[in-house]
Amino acid sequence: MLGTCFRLLVGALCTVCSLGTVRAYLDTSPLLSSNWGSLIHLYTATARTNYHLQIHWDGHVDGTPHQTIYSALMITPEDAGSVVITGAMTRRFLCMDLQGNIFGSLHFSPENCRFRQWTLENGYDVYLSQKHHYLVSLGRAKRIFQPGTNPPPFSQFLARRNEIPLLHFYTVRPRRHTRSAEDPPERDPLNVLKPRPRATPVPVSCSRELPSAEEGGPAASDPLGVLRRGRGDTRGGAGGADRCRPFPRFV
């Protein structure tokens, strides 16, 4: 009887431990997280073109016509109607500076990275910085927004559902096994990547022009320098013959 109870107790403990292990493994997967299941893309458009707001690894923010892994965003609601926008791939917060320019930051600032969201009559959403009083916009025109006025171009957004497979967000990028010649010297101690010197012909300036027979003096009667050969090069000096050798030199 005692042995049976002990076996049942051990079996119950193993079951609890296995459930805890499975639960912990599932929670660590970003593909099964609740945040990854609610990805959206902020879409804005005019009569001529359309964009999706995207945040890059270096913090640069721009627009793309089609959905990409960098335009996938997570919008987290805050108190008093405020939201925080984060890039799903780069984990950077969408923030704004004093001039109304938007950028991605790895550090969250309540004054610069929190926006008030409200829906206009046409169904589009706008995101206002309560600190700087600019709207989030992909356009170049930056002006302080006044309620009741028309928003600037590319500042009205629609939240679109993510259509990119979640596997694309979790696929490891292929790594190149090549290096560039512009890498730091410590990465190329044997100077393997540096370009080798090339052989170039001697400049044409070493060639001498023959004197004209119409000129007076000894050159007129001896244009090829046959009689004056061996007297030395009066113009080139002692090193003239060495400088004008037809062998290539390395640069």
Side-chain angles (χ1 to χ4, degrees):
M1 183 65 180
L2 183 60
T4 304
C5 295
F6 180 75
R7 286 195 297 269
L8 291 177
L9 179 61
V10 172
L13 291 176
C14 293
T15 303
V16 172
C17 293
S18 61
L19 290 177
T21 304
V22 172
R23 185 178 296 107
Y25 175 77
L26 293 179
D27 290 343
T28 57
S29 175
L31 299 180
L32 301 179
S33 176
S34 59
N35 292 334
W36 286 79
S38 57
L39 298 182
I40 59 96
H41 299 258
L42 290 182
Y43 171 83
T44 181
T46 61
R48 295 183 177 182
T49 184
N50 57 84
Y51 294 108
H52 296 81
L53 187 148
Q54 60 180 357
I55 305 176
H56 296 273
W57 289 106
D58 58 354
H60 177 68
V61 177
D62 59 5
T64 172
H66 308 286
Q67 292 187 7
T68 67
I69 57 177
Y70 300 108
S71 66
L73 307 173
M74 295 180 293
I75 299 182
T76 306
E78 296 285 334
D79 54 349
S82 299
V83 296
V84 176
I85 304 174
T86 312
M89 194 65 186
T90 62
R91 298 294 180 176
R92 286 182 174 267
F93 299 97
L94 182 67
C95 304
M96 180 180 293
D97 61 12
L98 296 175
Q99 288 75 31
N101 302 310
I102 52 178
F103 62 95
S105 175
L106 294 175
H107 306 282
F108 176 76
S109 171
E111 295 80 12
N112 302 325
C113 308
R114 182 180 294 171
F115 302 95
R116 179 188 174 189
Q117 175 188 9
W118 76 82
T119 304
L120 303 178
E121 296 180 356
N122 56 6
Y124 284 79
D125 295 328
V126 291
Y127 301 89
L128 175 67
S129 172
Q130 298 180 343
K131 173 68 176 181
H132 308 299
H133 306 287
Y134 289 97
L135 290 177
V136 172
S137 173
L138 290 178
R140 297 182 179 179
K142 306 295 182 182
R143 66 174 184 267
I144 295 180
F145 178 71
Q146 299 292 339
T149 60
N150 294 328
F154 301 110
S155 62
Q156 304 180 53
F157 296 92
L158 282 179
R160 285 188 166 183
R161 184 182 59 183
N162 176 54
E163 299 178 357
I164 301 177
L166 295 182
L167 184 61
H168 292 183
F169 295 90
Y170 203 59
T171 303
V172 180
R173 297 181 180 178
R175 302 183 62 179
R176 297 179 56 188
H177 296 283
T178 59
R179 293 181 296 176
S180 173
E182 300 178 357
D183 289 344
E186 57 271 12
R187 298 188 60 183
D188 186 24
L190 300 180
N191 297 330
V192 178
L193 301 177
K194 290 186 177 180
R196 297 180 179 179
R198 298 181 303 173
T200 57
V202 179
V204 187
S205 59
C206 287
S207 62
R208 292 193 294 269
E209 183 179 356
L210 295 178
S212 175
E214 299 179 356
E215 298 177 357
S221 59
D222 187 19
L224 299 181
V226 177
L227 301 179
R228 291 173 291 134
R229 189 171 298 170
R231 298 180 182 179
D233 190 355
T234 58
R235 291 182 300 173
D242 294 337
R243 290 198 308 267
C244 296
R245 288 181 179 177
F247 295 102
R249 58 188 178 90
F250 292 96
V251 294

